[in-house]
Amino acid sequence: MAAPLTVVLIVAVTVRACLFRSSLADLIAERVEVVSPLNAWKRVVEGLALLDLGVSPYSGDVFHETPLIIYLFHFLVDYAEITFMVSSLSSHIVLYCLLLSLIVTSCCLFVDRYLLNPFTVLSCVAKSTCGLNNAIVALFILSTIKKNALLSAIFLALSTYQSIYPVTLCAPAVLYLLQRQYIPVNVRWASFWWFLLQYAFMYLGSLFVIICLSFFLLGSWDYLPSVYGFILSVPDLTPNIGLFWYFFAEMFEHFRLFFLCVFQINVFFYTIPLSIKLKEHPVFLIFMQLAVISIFKSYPTVGDIALYMSFLPVWSHLHRFLRNIFLVSCVLLACSALFPVLWHLWIYSGSANSNFYYAITLLFNVAQILLVSDYFYAFLRREHHLTYGLYLKRKDGSEATLVLK
Amino acid sequence: MRYVHDLQLLVTLTHPKDDFQEELVIRPLQSGDVYASFQFRTLWETDFMKGNKVSHYRLFPKSLGQVISKFSVRELHISFTQGYWRTMQWGQPFMPSPPGAELWVWFQDSVTDVDGTWKELTNVLSGIFCASLNFIDSTNTVQPSASFKPLGIGNVTDHRFLRYATLPREIVCTENLTPWKKLLPCGSKAGLAVLMKSEKLFHSSFHSQAVHIRPVCQDSECTTTSWELRQTLNVVFDLHTSGQGKREWSLFKMFSRTLTEACPLASSSKIYIDITDNPQVSFLHNILSLKIQAVVLGDRRTFSVYDLTEANTFGSMRSLNLLIRWKSSEGDMLRPLLHAERYVAGYGLQTGEIHTLMYNYHPFRSFPILLLDSVPWYLRLYIHTLTVTSKGKDNKPSYIHYQPSKDRVRPHLLEMLVQLPPNSVTEVTVQFERALLKWTEYTPDPNHGFYVGSSVISALVPSMVAMDTNNTKERPLFSSFFPCKEESSYFVRIYTEPLLVNLPTPDFSMPYNVICLTCTVVAVGYGSLYNLLTRSFQIEEPNPRLAKRIANVIRRLRGVPPLA
């Protein structure tokens, strides 16, 4: 709580406003690390222009946003900068409220990490709709923490509607709400199934309503293959910071479908094991799920990374158990600096080739995976110490070391 | 003699009328090059569409007749061009064509599956012309909505039956000329076709051969229709490479052959030499030539006509060789009223901009033009960046038809009707983004770049000279290709340069490495999470020292209890 909320907000707004007005805004909006074919602002404008020309935005392969976004920006296209700034600020305020209720110790020096995170600033200045998605996820988490099941289901439905992957956040939401209502997570209890059914009904009902609303907005189901088909089948191989693009650019045609299924299942299948292991700690589960989605989704951007990184202050008490934090932070910083350099060398100078950029992508993702698994290790270790004591002794009384076996 | 005459009468009575005409137009150009245009026209009054299958082909080539009847083709236009027509130096061509191969077809309205028929048609034409037209598929075929209206008769203008495709990368060579020559009634053995020797024809700045099939009216009331097949070959011989720098051209120098006879099956066989700019035309012997005036492409030009069907054209040597000499200062070329250029702007392999410049050189008249642009799907156009400016001001097109591309399915199609102000340059710009393709989708020489087909600009240009609208009168072939509906303007179609665009390439030697490395990263994630999920923390028992461990192994072998 070193800097009060208002000061942070003012600083953030100033930084963003300066960047919006400078020539850097166009440069940042073109960067592949910050925008992807799914959430680039250029494509939103293109979709609106196609609508003006009388052509369906989904008839081509340029526009992959949901109809509600078209509807929203149809009215707000002239106020785009303000919209994104507001969504960024509101995410921050939501996260602030969230973190305040979650932080166990009083050490919360970096509560404002979301807004001043350079990744978030870049994402906002580029007017990537990732910012809107982050705002919705933040609202979902806040409503879950505030025990409002209906709002939580609605926001989760909105978030899933925009990009499919947040459906895995159902599990932690249900677990959290069950925990708060003192319903044990046991398949034999009727109240467990009853609550699960209620939540599923609210979630699926709101999702159904949103999808039907989208159908009525544009009068056709064209958007389903354009949005969800695009996310799942990855036809566009534009480079980004994820693992999919080069893998599928170099894939043998025969195995393309197989590896596509493997990579997509990879995002979803950690849900069940993680939920079983972390059923007592749904908040950490939310963090883990967000991290897994951001790393393994088909078109990740730095905006997704900013979202799960803003949760790290909640677990500042885990720092003493982290093993690789120095290495990971060095690698992340180095990669973030090298991305634009190697992109320039490949695309503009022609003195490097795609392998250079791909290598940095790999390194960046390895660092993120190490970060997430390190935090998981630290969390589990702390839980172990909470149960068995901090200073463990062996049978002969000497200092013991803990290993995973 | 009488028997032969009776036989001829019998033949003409029992078989439908067909007629073959051939002509060669030689026009000396301002730049010192010489433009030679061959046209061969076969007219046949028959009906391919009705039930009775045509089985006796005389002048009309059988392969094309079968193509028309099998695929229910109403109009077919195919051209193969090597080189780019330089409008500003050479004027307007009689038959415009884009570099590479171009095919556009109007199908009859009885066709139910136009796309399937189109696919089969391109494959059959690929075999007939020995060209790789089988590369024409849905990724480079478009359905123009306003350009390429039928050039023959026909009421149907539903553009569902029109297909247009270009292959800008297609190379034209002797292999394409030979089957083209085979379609002529006399082949390359008699008539003007003997001049078509490939070693000279391809040693030129511009070479274009085309086949145009369309139904035409025989008379002004259009009581009978016949099928017209025109085969055209346009070639521009370069001043310096073929002419050795001298503005002195002869038939022998151009074609390394002289003419000995007209094609016996031709009803007319003529040579036209453009003498508007007063070049000196001389012969080996004295021939009287007819002088005619014809209005072509908005210009009244004077031609010397030499009729090859008359025996005295060939003289005692039984061969015809013309010599044309002209000076560079005499006469000035009529500046073409419409000209277009296109180029790619920008740097790097991420984005770019296509600029199309259209010049209207008319001093006081403005006229509308129809611009057709077909851009492949891997250059993602952003139509919201489309700007049309004339004389620095925004010039909004009155009609825009845009069909966005679908990845790997169809290309972009942009058609616009733009009004060009007099004496001005109109610039059309649109930004695009370059896509990264799958490694199998690149050509074997990926760093050469990818071709974008020429833009097509169709316009009715106001004419300085009154055009002849009587379409059924006997006119030279070169002036009667495009139908003339009104006197004050003539139809012109201009093709811009094709573009060559580089795309970012992945490393083609790395598929296995990439798969392994990426799967390794995913496995690292899986492995660490698996470890943390399935294992629990335990207190570690330290490993004893090495000496103690060896001692324990020996003790175990002896059967003695181990050390602590």
Side-chain angles (χ1 to χ4, degrees):
Chain A
M1 234 123 26
L5 183 63
T6 41
V7 172
V8 170
L9 287 179
I10 291 169
V11 167
V13 168
T14 318
V15 164
R16 282 164 172 72
C18 292
L19 282 173
F20 271 132
R21 289 282 159 257
S22 72
S23 60
L24 284 177
D26 288 325
L27 200 72
I28 294 171
E30 293 264 310
R31 297 242 36 110
V32 287
E33 297 91 8
V34 184
V35 296
S36 73
L38 275 177
N39 51 30
W41 175 246
K42 199 171 179 186
R43 294 189 180 228
V44 174
V45 176
E46 178 70 9
L48 293 171
L50 284 174
L51 209 57
D52 286 336
L53 271 178
V55 177
S56 163
Y58 301 109
S59 57
D61 252 341
V62 154
F63 186 73
H64 301 286
E65 298 276 2
T66 53
L68 282 184
I69 296 277
I70 302 181
Y71 194 68
L72 179 73
F73 282 110
H74 193 63
F75 301 109
L76 292 178
V77 67
D78 297 322
Y79 310 107
E81 294 168 4
I82 298 177
T83 314
F84 285 103
M85 208 145 24
V86 161
S87 75
S88 207
L89 295 176
S90 51
S91 322
H92 177 82
I93 295 172
V94 163
L95 284 168
Y96 185 76
C97 301
L98 202 82
L99 300 184
L100 275 184
S101 49
L102 284 177
I103 287 183
V104 288
T105 66
S106 58
C107 174
C108 41
L109 284 168
F110 305 105
V111 181
D112 37 32
R113 206 180 274 186
Y114 180 72
L115 214 57
L116 296 178
N117 188 344
F119 289 155
T120 326
V121 173
L122 285 175
S123 190
C124 180
V125 172
K127 294 188 277 202
S128 154
T129 54
C130 186
L132 293 175
N133 209 15
N134 287 356
I136 297 175
V137 172
L139 283 167
F140 150 74
I141 301 175
L142 183 69
S143 45
T144 311
I145 303 281
K146 297 292 179 206
K147 296 177 278 233
N148 191 334
L150 179 65
L151 272 183
S152 152
I154 292 173
F155 283 123
L156 187 63
L158 265 178
S159 185
T160 311
Y161 165 74
Q162 214 174 334
S163 70
I164 305 175
Y165 301 107
V167 71
T168 58
L169 296 172
C170 253
V174 165
L175 286 171
Y176 187 86
L177 291 165
L178 282 172
Q179 201 183 61
R180 285 288 170 266
Q181 291 177 352
Y182 303 108
I183 301 171
V185 183
N186 195 335
V187 292
R188 284 193 286 262
W189 279 73
S191 46
F192 165 74
W193 288 110
W194 175 238
F195 183 77
L196 191 63
L197 210 62
Q198 274 182 314
Y199 193 82
F201 177 74
M202 285 190 285
Y203 171 67
L204 290 171
S206 21
L207 194 61
F208 180 73
V209 164
I210 295 169
I211 287 184
C212 288
L213 195 66
S214 313
F215 169 72
F216 287 119
L217 269 177
L218 284 176
S220 72
W221 294 109
D222 283 348
Y223 76 96
L224 289 176
S226 262
V227 181
Y228 305 118
F230 183 80
I231 295 175
L232 291 174
S233 66
V234 193
D236 188 333
L237 299 170
T238 313
N240 49 55
I241 56 173
L243 297 165
F244 278 64
W245 64 279
Y246 206 53
F247 188 70
F248 288 105
E250 299 269 16
M251 175 53 61
F252 300 104
E253 274 307 303
H254 187 71
F255 294 107
R256 195 183 146 77
L257 185 61
F258 169 71
F259 278 104
L260 196 61
C261 295
V262 166
F263 270 52
Q264 295 289 5
I265 289 171
N266 187 45
V267 184
F268 294 103
F269 105 120
Y270 290 114
T271 314
I272 309 260
L274 279 174
S275 310
I276 293 171
K277 184 85 180 183
L278 293 170
K279 61 178 183 280
E280 313 293 325
H281 314 283
V283 180
F284 192 75
L285 181 60
I286 290 181
F287 165 73
M288 287 297 296
Q289 293 284 32
L290 279 177
V292 161
I293 292 171
S294 303
I295 299 169
F296 293 117
K297 69 192 289 197
S298 45
Y299 292 100
T301 59
V302 292
D304 301 306
I305 298 172
L307 182 63
Y308 79 80
M309 281 202 181
S310 62
F311 276 88
L312 295 179
V314 182
W315 292 287
S316 47
H317 53 276
L318 296 175
H319 285 172
R320 58 183 299 174
F321 301 114
L322 290 171
R323 292 179 299 175
N324 303 323
I325 197 65
F326 175 68
L327 176 73
V328 164
S329 33
C330 284
V331 172
L332 284 175
L333 279 172
C335 288
S336 310
L338 279 175
F339 269 124
V341 171
L342 291 170
W343 178 258
H344 180 89
L345 281 180
W346 172 28
I347 297 289
Y348 295 100
S349 303
S351 44
N353 65 8
S354 49
N355 291 335
F356 292 69
Y357 193 77
Y358 167 65
I360 297 298
T361 306
L362 284 181
L363 208 55
F364 192 70
N365 283 300
V366 165
Q368 283 186 78
I369 290 169
L370 272 179
L371 174 73
V372 167
S373 57
D374 210 19
Y375 265 89
F376 194 22
Y377 169 85
F379 187 83
L380 291 175
R381 176 123 179 218
R382 184 172 172 273
E383 291 304 309
H384 186 264
H385 281 302
L386 281 176
T387 323
Y388 295 103
L390 191 56
Y391 299 104
L392 298 164
K393 301 224 182 315
R394 250 181 270 139
K395 297 190 205 71
D396 53 6
S398 58
E399 182 92 29
T401 46
L402 271 186
V403 289
L404 274 175
K405 276 219 211 298
Chain B
M1 198 58 196
R2 191 164 170 264
Y3 172 72
V4 172
H5 178 73
D6 284 342
L7 199 64
Q8 271 186 343
L9 200 63
L10 193 68
V11 163
T12 47
L13 283 173
T14 50
H15 294 288
K17 283 195 318 200
D18 50 8
D19 174 58
F20 176 67
Q21 296 172 326
E22 54 178 19
E23 74 175 29
L24 165 64
V25 181
I26 300 182
R27 172 194 276 196
L29 297 169
Q30 187 66 12
S31 52
D33 311 314
V34 85
Y35 173 32
S37 173
F38 292 84
Q39 268 205 48
F40 303 91
R41 181 174 84 160
T42 308
L43 271 177
W44 194 18
E45 217 176 291
T46 181
D47 198 345
F48 286 111
M49 296 303 130
K50 289 252 167 53
N52 51 331
K53 280 176 148 278
V54 179
S55 54
H56 183 80
Y57 288 84
R58 201 171 78 102
L59 296 174
F60 203 94
K62 183 171 179 180
S63 49
L64 291 180
Q66 286 178 327
V67 161
I68 298 173
S69 52
K70 179 158 188 239
F71 298 110
S72 305
V73 166
R74 204 175 93 209
E75 271 192 38
L76 187 142
H77 302 269
I78 185 167
S79 71
F80 300 94
T81 310
Q82 182 79 9
Y84 177 66
W85 183 269
R86 295 172 213 289
T87 314
M88 294 311 280
Q89 290 165 297
W90 301 338
Q92 295 278 13
F94 295 128
M95 321 283 299
S97 52
E102 184 204 42
L103 171 66
W104 57 283
V105 175
W106 274 95
F107 290 96
Q108 303 276 355
D109 36 353
S110 56
V111 175
T112 44
D113 176 18
V114 183
D115 288 317
T117 318
W118 169 254
K119 185 108 190 92
E120 286 175 31
L121 176 65
T122 51
N123 280 297
V124 166
L125 288 174
S126 169
I128 294 176
F129 291 103
C130 290
S132 39
L133 297 174
N134 51 320
F135 284 123
I136 293 178
D137 55 10
S138 65
T139 60
N140 47 25
T141 308
V142 289
Q143 288 182 43
S145 64
S147 313
F148 294 101
K149 288 278 178 263
L151 288 174
I153 53 165
N155 298 333
V156 177
T157 48
D158 186 352
H159 65 100
R160 279 187 301 126
F161 296 103
L162 170 64
R163 292 290 184 275
Y164 173 81
T166 49
L167 290 172
R169 211 184 158 116
E170 187 69 14
I171 298 178
V172 187
C173 59
T174 319
E175 243 188 26
N176 307 115
L177 184 64
T178 314
W180 187 89
K181 282 197 287 190
K182 275 208 206 137
L183 297 171
L184 296 169
C186 285
S188 49
K189 297 188 177 46
L192 291 170
V194 298
L195 295 176
M196 296 197 241
K197 287 285 159 236
S198 35
E199 65 266 9
K200 281 292 189 180
L201 279 183
F202 289 101
H203 193 61
S204 58
S205 304
F206 178 84
H207 170 99
S208 170
Q209 61 199 54
V211 171
H212 301 276
I213 303 175
R214 58 181 177 171
V216 291
C217 287
Q218 285 284 62
D219 47 21
S220 50
E221 285 88 41
C222 217
T223 43
T224 48
T225 63
S226 47
W227 284 90
E228 180 195 73
L229 164 70
R230 281 196 194 220
Q231 284 179 257
T232 65
L233 192 134
N234 293 335
V235 63
V236 174
F237 292 105
D238 190 75
L239 172 68
H240 299 286
T241 50
S242 330
Q244 289 109 40
K246 288 190 280 202
R247 286 162 198 260
E248 202 178 87
W249 292 90
S250 69
L251 276 184
F252 190 79
K253 192 175 180 185
M254 286 192 265
F255 302 109
S256 73
R257 287 289 298 266
T258 57
L259 289 165
T260 49
E261 56 166 343
C263 174
L265 299 167
S267 61
S268 110
S269 179
K270 294 195 167 99
I271 297 185
Y272 294 84
I273 303 192
D274 190 335
I275 53 172
T276 323
D277 300 326
N278 299 317
Q280 279 177 293
V281 186
S282 51
F283 296 87
L284 296 171
H285 49 273
N286 286 331
I287 324 173
L288 277 173
S289 66
L290 201 61
K291 288 194 176 27
I292 65 151
Q293 284 213 327
V295 180
V296 60
L297 297 169
D299 195 14
R300 185 177 298 280
R301 305 200 63 93
T302 318
F303 294 90
S304 268
V305 188
Y306 302 92
D307 194 352
L308 296 177
T309 49
E310 288 176 27
N312 58 358
T313 314
F314 296 101
S316 53
M317 307 279 272
R318 292 200 193 279
S319 88
L320 175 65
N321 188 11
L322 311 154
L323 183 66
I324 309 168
R325 216 184 276 129
W326 71 102
K327 300 236 187 329
S328 57
S329 56
E330 279 174 34
D332 56 343
M333 188 186 71
L334 177 72
R335 196 160 67 153
L337 293 174
L338 183 62
H339 174 56
E341 288 172 352
R342 195 164 71 144
Y343 59 90
V344 172
Y347 63 94
L349 295 176
Q350 190 177 5
T351 53
E353 228 172 63
I354 299 181
H355 291 244
T356 311
L357 290 137
M358 292 174 289
Y359 299 87
N360 176 3
Y361 288 121
H362 202 287
F364 50 86
R365 292 276 299 273
S366 74
F367 51 88
I369 56 109
L370 203 59
L371 172 67
L372 171 82
D373 243 323
S374 167
V375 178
W377 65 266
Y378 38 81
L379 301 182
R380 301 200 167 96
L381 291 185
Y382 285 95
I383 206 69
H384 69 273
T385 57
L386 177 71
T387 58
V388 183
T389 47
S390 300
K391 292 182 177 171
K393 288 200 298 264
D394 213 22
N395 180 358
K396 200 164 150 38
S398 48
Y399 168 76
I400 299 185
H401 173 245
Y402 177 63
Q403 191 188 47
S405 68
K406 260 204 139 17
D407 275 8
R408 301 177 181 93
V409 170
R410 60 165 196 248
H412 296 275
L413 175 66
L414 176 63
E415 280 186 276
M416 293 195 294
L417 186 68
V418 184
Q419 188 83 5
L420 299 185
N423 216 9
S424 67
V425 181
T426 305
E427 185 167 359
V428 178
T429 59
V430 65
Q431 285 179 14
F432 64 87
E433 207 176 73
R434 301 171 205 229
L436 184 73
L437 306 177
K438 297 180 198 167
W439 70 302
T440 48
E441 289 174 342
Y442 288 88
T443 52
D445 52 347
N447 291 304
H448 178 72
F450 286 77
Y451 283 94
V452 178
S454 313
S455 298
V456 187
I457 294 165
S458 320
L460 274 174
V461 180
S463 168
M464 306 285 208
V465 173
M467 302 295 295
D468 190 353
T469 53
N470 190 349
N471 284 325
T472 52
K473 200 181 71 170
E474 274 300 312
R475 283 159 61 181
L477 292 176
F478 61 87
S479 62
S480 65
F481 183 66
F482 287 115
C484 212
K485 300 264 171 42
E486 51 186 82
E487 279 187 355
S488 56
S489 57
Y490 59 97
F491 180 76
V492 121
R493 187 173 281 143
I494 293 189
Y495 294 91
T496 61
E497 301 95 327
L499 301 172
L500 190 58
V501 182
N502 270 81
L503 293 180
T505 58
D507 189 345
F508 297 98
S509 61
M510 291 266 290
Y512 183 69
N513 302 4
V514 166
I515 295 173
C516 283
L517 287 168
T518 313
C519 289
T520 305
V521 171
V522 174
V524 162
Y526 172 80
S528 22
L529 284 179
Y530 175 83
N531 267 345
L532 291 165
L533 286 167
T534 51
R535 298 183 185 194
S536 56
F537 286 98
Q538 291 168 20
I539 294 186
E540 184 199 12
E541 294 304 318
N543 268 335
R545 297 236 170 246
L546 183 64
K548 227 181 191 175
R549 264 192 288 169
I550 296 174
N552 277 337
V553 166
I554 297 170
R555 277 177 162 235
R556 200 167 47 228
L557 287 173
R558 279 171 56 197
V560 171
L563 296 170

